[in-house]
Amino acid sequence: MSRAGAVRRIGLVVLVANVVLAAAKGWVWLETGSLAVGSEAANSLVDAVYATVVLGGLYLTTQPPDSEHPHGHERIEPFVALAIALGIFLTGGTVLWQSVTAIFSDTVTATESPIAIAVLAGAALAKAGLYRYSLSASRTHDSPALAATALDNRNDVLTAGAALVGVLGARFGVPLLDPLAAALVSLGILYTGIEVVRDNVPYLVGGAPSEALQRRILRRALAHPDVEGAHDVIAHYVGPEIDVSIHIEVEGNRTLREAHDIESAIVASIQALDPIDDVFVHIDPKELGEWKRDPDADRLVRGTDEQPDDESTVDRGPG
């Protein structure tokens, strides 16, 4: 299946799962009045709303290039991830407010219902499965939006677990565990929102990829037999993709055709690395006096990798 079809399918699976969970938790909340279960129902409802936004965003990002977007629409994807972060912050803030209010007003409502226990345990298992599913897909398809979705599903495992602790606390005569557990997990939810923002801002402000990928880029240029050196190597994110600019040093007696062949070979070699998009190669003939030492390039060449350089690598992004 193509990347476009795969990410849309995953977005649809997440949406349907959240709608089902929101309905199940909402029904149990209406039956029991448990704060923990009610918070979980609100959490799943918010998840369903932003999953709709994510699905729409993934549809846009997977559209082919057109005259107005010649590089495609992938650069929309970090904004989709930030929309997920907003949903995470809203969920965490809501759960924290409800929990603190219940604790200080001494109006804890808990339930001992076995149905609530079953629904919350099932929700935790479902979210654990969605977390692994989304995380694997985000790595396979190098998708910031799916990575953010995976983190949110990991949060939902924690919130469902906290709600389960609250219900079990009520069953064993400690109803205060209900809001206390929800308050503790809300802090984890808010931290995950910070993680999503932190991981996606570099995509929007032109951050650099990992040094491991920069090293492979440089080594692929230097591997050409006619390249004597390289400097001013710049790799930066443009959305989830990476643009590369590099100066290579060659002898000045090359013909125009030979220089063109050298440049084309290096561009093709570097573009074979995921997720490289555009590569711009500037050729510096020796006779112009533009060969120079570049401490950053020297440091990258001396570094070591866990993978051989002839293996393509997917950069996992700033996070």
Side-chain angles (χ1 to χ4, degrees), residues 37-125:
V37 177
S39 296
E40 269 296 287
N43 185 13
S44 291
L45 183 60
V46 171
D47 286 347
V49 171
Y50 82 66
T52 304
V53 175
V54 170
L55 187 60
L58 290 175
Y59 176 79
L60 291 176
T61 65
T62 54
Q63 293 303 297
D66 55 36
S67 59
E68 294 184 350
H69 302 88
H71 287 272
H73 300 73
E74 290 86 357
R75 297 174 189 181
I76 299 173
E77 195 161 342
F79 291 99
V80 177
L82 292 180
I84 295 174
L86 178 59
I88 292 173
F89 285 130
L90 288 174
T91 301
T94 300
V95 173
L96 181 60
W97 180 82
Q98 290 179 333
S99 303
V100 172
T101 300
I103 291 170
F104 286 99
S105 65
D106 195 25
T107 57
V108 175
T109 302
T111 179
E112 302 178 16
S113 170
I115 297 177
I117 295 174
V119 167
L120 292 173
L125 290 174

Side-chain angles (χ1 to χ4, degrees), residues 7-36:
V7 295
R8 291 177 195 170
R9 180 195 64 196
I10 295 161
L12 183 60
V13 169
V14 172
L15 172 60
V16 171
N18 282 316
V19 169
V20 172
L21 289 173
K25 294 173 185 176
W27 174 73
V28 173
W29 172 62
L30 291 174
E31 291 292 321
T32 65
S34 167
L35 174 62

Side-chain angles (χ1 to χ4, degrees), residues 35-36 40 50 58 64 78 146 183 197 201 205 210 268:
L35 174 62
E40 269 296 287
Y50 82 66
L58 290 175
L146 292 181
V197 172
V201 166
V205 299
S210 67

